[in-house]
Amino acid sequence: MSKMIRRIRSDEWRIGEHESWFADMAAQGLHLKKLGRIFARFERGEPRRTRYRIDVSLHKKMSEEQIELYEEGGWEFVTQYGAFYVFSSPAEREAPELHTDPAEQAHTLRELDKKLFGHALFTLIALILIVGMLSSLWFLDGTPVYMLVEGMAVQQTVLTVIIGYQAYIAVRGAVSIRVLQKRLIEGRPIDHHAPYRKRWRRHTIIALLFSLFAAASAVMPIMYLVKEKTATLPGSSPELPIVRLAEIEQNPDLIRDEAYMRDGVDWANRYSYNWSPFAPVQYDTDESGIVPGKTWDDQSGDYSPSVHTKMYQLAIPVLADSLVSDLVKRYQYGNEQFIETEHPDLDRLLVHEKREAKEIVASKGKVVMYVRYHGYAELNAVVEETVGKMRLIVE
């Protein structure tokens, strides 16, 4: 006889629906043989009208005496999963019900009620803790769009949504078993022919959507690993959308200041290429230089200008304004303010200048750029270099 595996598409506490499903399968020639948490195994045979009943043991293992008592009443033990015991009987046998007193049957659900309540409570506490930690990631420094495009908390958010759905199922199960107990105590027996198809179809669609959601979450770390790259800046990079120190300084005596080498990368002169679902193209660079024979005006040492660039090409252009605001908030210190100004080639331009320090946040279409320069070049030179680099990727 061939066997068939079917996924259980309902919660275990929906006793009447499972009994109804097993009976419908038997009528199609598929007879229940094994029950698990996710799958049920059926054996193909002759279609038969079969009644199924599920009894819940107060203890995890039902006594042999209890099973023998049911068998004497015409019910054959089929399979067991946890505290759920499944019995069957040919319909024509008209075996008496396992439980003739609904109030007594309600008593058998007491342990299941405790188990589901404990599970729901644990899941809810875990969800609250996770949501608290995630909220601190998103909102502690008030730059949620920056967090979104950097992709630092996207995967955690997806996982939290999945855990939230599991918490919803756990709470629904705990509430439903209490409702079932109440119905039994009031003398209303379990409906052994409970309809299930419509709700199971809805359950299947929701489960499929969450499975796709979870699969996307699993793919993200792989994408990060595949896409991310850090390397030493080349001598020149006219094709890369990053502001270079030599192009700002315009000084032929400028040389690279190699201050920190690790793993073959000059971290004072490096560029990192990053990826996230909301900003699939990102560059983050640092560059340091030195001009031999030239000193800072305050005689604090050799003149050593530097530049730091962050560039984002967004998947959703409407995020650009919010990202500009978040970058300003992230890099604004004390009472020093970025000043909004206008540029014919940019949608937004905010600048901050304090002696040798010049900072720019600019946007054009779906491209956003932050540049921090420390040196004696004019602010306008930094702005024009930024605009020129943004043209490389603005569509």
Side-chain angles (χ1 to χ4, degrees):
M1 290 185 178
S2 63
K3 295 175 181 176
M4 180 173 289
I5 306 295
R6 289 286 179 88
R7 186 176 185 276
I8 297 175
R9 292 168 289 181
S10 184
D11 305 291
E12 57 197 17
W13 45 267
R14 293 185 182 275
I15 294 172
E17 291 184 11
H18 280 93
E19 292 173 340
S20 181
W21 179 45
F22 297 151
D24 287 349
M25 295 292 281
Q28 299 171 31
L30 294 169
H31 306 285
L32 179 68
K33 291 299 175 185
K34 189 74 176 177
L35 190 62
R37 175 70 183 87
I38 300 176
F39 297 103
R41 192 179 75 192
F42 297 86
E43 194 170 83
R44 196 179 298 277
E46 291 296 322
R48 288 198 300 266
R49 289 177 58 240
T50 307
R51 298 162 67 199
Y52 285 90
R53 295 294 181 266
I54 297 174
D55 197 21
V56 181
S57 175
L58 269 175
H59 309 288
K60 188 168 183 178
K61 186 171 177 58
M62 183 177 284
S63 68
E64 292 294 332
E65 292 78 11
Q66 186 69 43
I67 294 174
E68 288 175 3
L69 183 64
Y70 287 156
E71 288 178 344
E72 288 172 4
W75 294 95
E76 180 185 353
F77 172 66
V78 179
T79 184
Q80 172 225 350
Y81 169 70
F84 294 85
Y85 284 72
V86 184
F87 296 85
S88 70
S89 178
E92 60 273 15
R93 187 179 293 172
E94 297 183 349
E97 292 293 336
L98 300 183
H99 293 279
T100 54
D101 183 356
E104 179 188 344
Q105 189 175 12
H107 180 68
T108 67
L109 300 177
R110 191 179 60 192
E111 291 302 318
L112 178 61
D113 176 36
K114 290 181 181 177
K115 175 186 171 185
L116 293 181
F117 178 79
H119 179 59
L121 184 62
F122 174 80
T123 310
L124 271 179
I125 292 173
L127 178 63
I128 291 170
L129 291 174
I130 292 171
V131 169
M133 289 188 287
L134 190 63
S135 298
S136 67
L137 278 176
W138 280 110
F139 304 112
L140 194 61
D141 63 357
T143 57
V145 175
Y146 173 81
M147 294 292 296
L148 182 72
V149 300
E150 285 272 337
M152 290 182 284
V154 173
Q155 190 188 12
Q156 293 91 324
T157 302
V158 172
L159 291 174
T160 302
V161 171
I162 294 171
I163 293 172
Y165 179 64
Q166 294 300 320
Y168 161 72
I169 292 175
V171 171
R172 189 185 60 178
V175 171
S176 297
I177 200 68
R178 295 254 168 131
V179 171
L180 178 59
Q181 280 184 295
K182 184 180 178 183
R183 287 169 57 91
L184 291 170
I185 291 171
E186 291 173 349
R188 292 183 286 175
I190 290 175
D191 180 4
H192 304 299
H193 304 284
Y196 57 87
R197 290 187 174 86
K198 184 176 179 181
R199 197 185 59 77
W200 282 18
R201 279 196 293 270
R202 185 172 67 247
H203 178 83
T204 300
I205 292 171
I206 293 173
L208 180 62
L209 291 176
F210 270 89
S211 297
L212 293 173
F213 209 47
S217 168
V219 166
M220 267 187 271
I222 299 172
M223 290 293 291
Y224 290 140
L225 289 174
V226 170
K227 293 281 188 177
E228 286 184 355
K229 171 189 175 185
T230 295
T232 300
L233 274 169
S236 64
S237 56
E239 77 288 356
L240 293 180
I242 55 178
V243 175
R244 299 301 303 267
L245 194 56
E247 294 163 344
I248 297 176
E249 288 286 321
Q250 295 293 316
N251 187 337
D253 296 329
L254 178 73
I255 60 173
R256 176 170 291 190
D257 186 8
E258 297 179 352
Y260 179 43
M261 293 291 295
R262 181 166 61 86
D263 298 330
V265 176
D266 177 3
W267 287 87
N269 299 278
R270 58 92 202 180
Y271 74 101
S272 296
Y273 177 82
N274 300 311
W275 175 92
S276 81
F278 294 93
V281 178
Q282 300 181 32
Y283 283 95
D284 186 336
T285 74
D286 284 298
E287 188 172 12
S288 304
I290 189 167
V291 179
K294 182 178 179 179
T295 60
W296 292 101
D297 291 345
D298 60 1
Q299 304 301 310
S300 59
D302 292 334
Y303 177 62
S304 52
S306 63
V307 64
H308 172 66
T309 304
K310 291 179 80 72
M311 191 288 295
Y312 305 90
Q313 188 177 54
L314 303 174
I316 306 173
V318 74
L319 293 175
D321 267 357
S322 298
L323 179 58
V324 167
S325 300
D326 281 4
L327 286 169
V328 168
K329 191 179 295 182
R330 189 172 184 83
Y331 292 108
Q332 185 170 282
Y333 300 100
N335 296 323
E336 297 178 2
Q337 300 289 323
F338 278 78
I339 298 172
E340 182 126 23
T341 184
E342 292 186 355
H343 191 285
D345 296 327
L346 298 174
D347 295 333
R348 291 190 69 186
L349 173 63
L350 291 97
V351 299
H352 168 252
E353 182 175 17
K354 184 177 181 181
R355 297 191 296 274
E356 298 87 2
K358 288 96 176 174
E359 292 178 281
I360 293 169
V361 181
S363 70
K364 177 68 175 177
K366 60 182 180 181
V367 177
V368 177
M369 212 160 177
Y370 166 77
V371 180
R372 182 179 65 240
Y373 164 73
H374 188 79
Y376 288 143
E378 296 293 328
L379 174 64
N380 189 55
V382 184
V383 171
E384 292 308 316
E385 279 302 317
T386 303
V387 172
K389 295 302 181 182
M390 292 178 76
R391 286 198 189 102
L392 293 176
I393 53 171
V394 170
E395 296 174 356

